[in-house]
């Protein structure tokens, strides 16, 4: 088994899903069980999960094989693009981008502060 480290790009395999582009992240909390789980960020969906090492495959080694698999699952194609074009994407960066996209709302009339 290949050694995996924080920051590594991987393919993560969850039951019922295709191999999904992901990155190993430093967890903010301890793993929920005693098993040696690894915290990953999924490109495309921007979700996170605890995965077993045997569910993770080095991105570069399996890129040719897994990136050719098409999936109609929402976020998959975006994930392929993100891991290649914006691999440093993080939850913090996403929060910042979302704040930039939020439109300022007008205060309702009658609620002005004097």
């Amino acid at each position: 088994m290949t050694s995996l480290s924080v920051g590594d790009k991987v393919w993560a395999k969850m039951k019922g899903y295709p191999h999904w582009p992901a990155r190993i992240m430093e967890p903010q909390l301890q793993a929920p069980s005693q098993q040696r789980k690894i915290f990953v960020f999924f490109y495309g969906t921007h979700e996170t999960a605890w995965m077993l090492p045997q569910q993770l495959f080095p991105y570069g080694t399996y890129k040719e094989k897994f990136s050719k698999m098409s999936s109609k699952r929402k976020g998959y194609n975006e994930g392929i693009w993100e891991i290649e074009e914006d691999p440093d994407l993080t939850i913090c960066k996403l929060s910042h981008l979302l704040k930039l996209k939020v439109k300022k709302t007008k205060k309702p009339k009658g609620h002005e502060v004097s």
Side-chain angles (χ1 to χ4, degrees):
M1 181 69 186
T2 304
S3 173
L4 299 170
S5 302
V6 170
D8 286 355
K9 296 189 298 185
V10 295
W11 293 97
K13 179 63 174 120
M14 292 183 82
K15 187 176 180 179
Y17 289 85
H19 289 83
W20 205 279
R23 186 178 70 248
I24 298 175
M25 294 188 64
E26 185 72 43
Q28 300 301 314
L29 301 170
Q30 202 168 25
S33 72
Q34 297 300 331
Q35 293 180 344
R36 187 178 161 262
K37 291 190 176 182
I38 298 172
F39 192 64
V40 299
F41 168 83
F42 293 98
Y43 290 99
T45 62
H46 308 149
E47 294 176 347
T48 58
W50 290 98
M51 306 286 293
L52 294 170
Q54 60 266 30
Q55 294 174 292
L56 303 175
F57 305 87
Y59 181 76
T61 304
Y62 292 90
K63 178 181 173 182
E64 193 69 28
K65 179 178 180 179
F66 295 146
S67 66
K68 291 184 177 181
M69 303 174 128
S70 72
S71 176
K72 293 184 180 186
R73 290 205 179 262
K74 186 176 181 177
Y76 184 80
N77 292 328
E78 293 86 347
I80 298 292
W81 184 90
E82 288 174 358
I83 199 167
E84 289 292 326
E85 303 299 327
D86 195 5
D88 296 325
L89 184 67
T90 63
I91 295 170
C92 293
K93 185 175 178 183
L94 287 171
S95 297
H96 176 70
L97 291 173
L98 289 173
K99 287 177 187 174
L100 293 176
K101 291 181 181 180
V102 173
K103 295 180 182 177
K104 291 184 179 180
T105 57
K106 295 180 181 178
K107 292 182 183 175
K109 290 184 181 180
H111 288 87
E112 290 86 15
V113 177
S114 305

